[in-house]
Amino acid sequence: MEVRFLGHACFELSDGDTRVLIDPFLTGNPKAAVAADDVNPSAILLTHGHGDHFGDTVEIAKRTGAPVVAIVEIARELAEEGIETHDPNMGGTVKFDWGWVKVVPAWHSSMTPKGTASTPAGLVVSLGETVVYHLGDTCAFTDLQLVGKRTPIDIALVPIGGHYTMDREEAVDAVELIAATTVIPCHYNTFPLIETDVEAFKSDVESSTSSEVVVLEPGESHTT
Ligand code: NI
Ligand code: MN
């Protein structure tokens, strides 16, 4: 399984012919590694409705026919556009022939560019032999320790930029609760407001937890 960082909080998970695209904010993303026209996902997953996550969802879904997994209020908005959707809510799991997606809590807020309010989420994705947890935009909270209890997390995609999410120091506490084998930081250095020292995060995590941090530049991949 390959995890490719496409910039900000956008990742593409690939296994064989399956490509799972999460939070496809590409147009207008100063760190986007690809254009919205260049992705061809099997499915699109959304953590929440903010523009820096919702991004090019409508255009990509309409062009490729890829189904979108999003919390029910956002899924309903997308379905009105004629997009194939799956509409889970907290605790729900959507099964595909390639694996599954489970919706878990995130402490944040959420509204789509069109104004649909909903609860923000984290997403646990099982693809191939690997379980990936995209935290969405969240602060640290103790229930993070429940997420990997039944399905241990191989790779956690963790926001560290501060201001709109937890900062790199709070993220160390979150990482300790999640206990993933590998942590890939995201949601930092896209804009001046969320600039942070990713090497300091890596060093703090690796000296105080059992997780390993893999820092990816936009366009780079990590293979399991
Ligand atoms: Ni957000
Ligand atoms: Mn965000």
Side-chain angles (χ1 to χ4, degrees):
M1 215 264 329
E2 180 181 309
V3 181
R4 189 175 177 216
F5 182 40
L6 297 181
H8 196 56
C10 180
F11 289 87
E12 186 178 64
L13 315 180
S14 309
D15 183 65
D17 292 335
T18 305
R19 290 170 304 281
V20 178
L21 183 64
I22 309 175
D23 286 359
F25 167 51
L26 298 168
T27 303
N29 174 355
K31 295 292 171 80
V34 297
D37 286 344
D38 293 333
V39 291
N40 192 17
S42 316
I44 302 169
L45 317 181
L46 289 181
T47 61
H48 66 295
H50 286 153
D52 61 318
H53 299 258
F54 188 90
D56 300 292
T57 296
V58 171
E59 295 86 332
I60 296 168
K62 284 187 173 173
R63 175 174 55 78
T64 63
V68 179
V69 178
I71 203 156
V72 57
E73 291 82 6
I74 298 177
R76 198 166 291 155
E77 180 189 306
L78 293 168
E80 282 170 12
E81 302 245 19
I83 291 166
E84 182 186 340
T85 58
H86 298 272
D87 64 349
N89 210 320
M90 288 300 146
T93 299
V94 178
K95 290 181 177 150
F96 291 93
D97 54 10
W98 48 259
W100 50 262
V101 182
K102 182 177 166 83
V103 180
V104 299
W107 268 104
H108 189 60
S109 63
S110 173
M111 187 174 278
T112 64
K114 280 191 167 175
T116 302
S118 59
T119 304
L123 300 169
V124 181
V125 184
S126 175
L127 174 62
E129 303 292 304
T130 306
V131 176
V132 178
Y133 173 24
H134 191 307
L135 273 72
D137 284 356
T138 191
C139 59
F141 57 108
T142 52
D143 284 356
L144 289 170
Q145 66 195 311
L146 283 177
V147 174
K149 194 173 177 192
R150 290 185 182 276
T151 313
I153 308 298
D154 297 305
I155 301 174
L157 311 175
V158 178
I160 66 164
H163 195 82
Y164 299 113
T165 68
M166 55 192 172
D167 60 23
R168 69 171 176 83
E169 284 152 336
E170 193 181 339
V172 176
D173 299 332
V175 164
E176 191 171 8
L177 294 170
I178 297 161
T181 307
T182 302
V183 168
I184 299 176
C186 65
H187 215 282
Y188 69 97
N189 290 3
T190 317
F191 313 108
L193 203 52
I194 58 172
E195 279 174 8
T196 198
D197 183 345
V198 71
E199 290 304 326
F201 170 71
K202 177 178 169 70
S203 145
D204 289 348
V205 166
E206 292 181 348
S207 63
S208 65
T209 79
S210 55
S211 299
E212 176 199 19
V213 175
V214 174
V215 177
L216 297 180
E217 291 299 320
E220 289 184 340
S221 298
H222 172 71
T223 303
T224 60

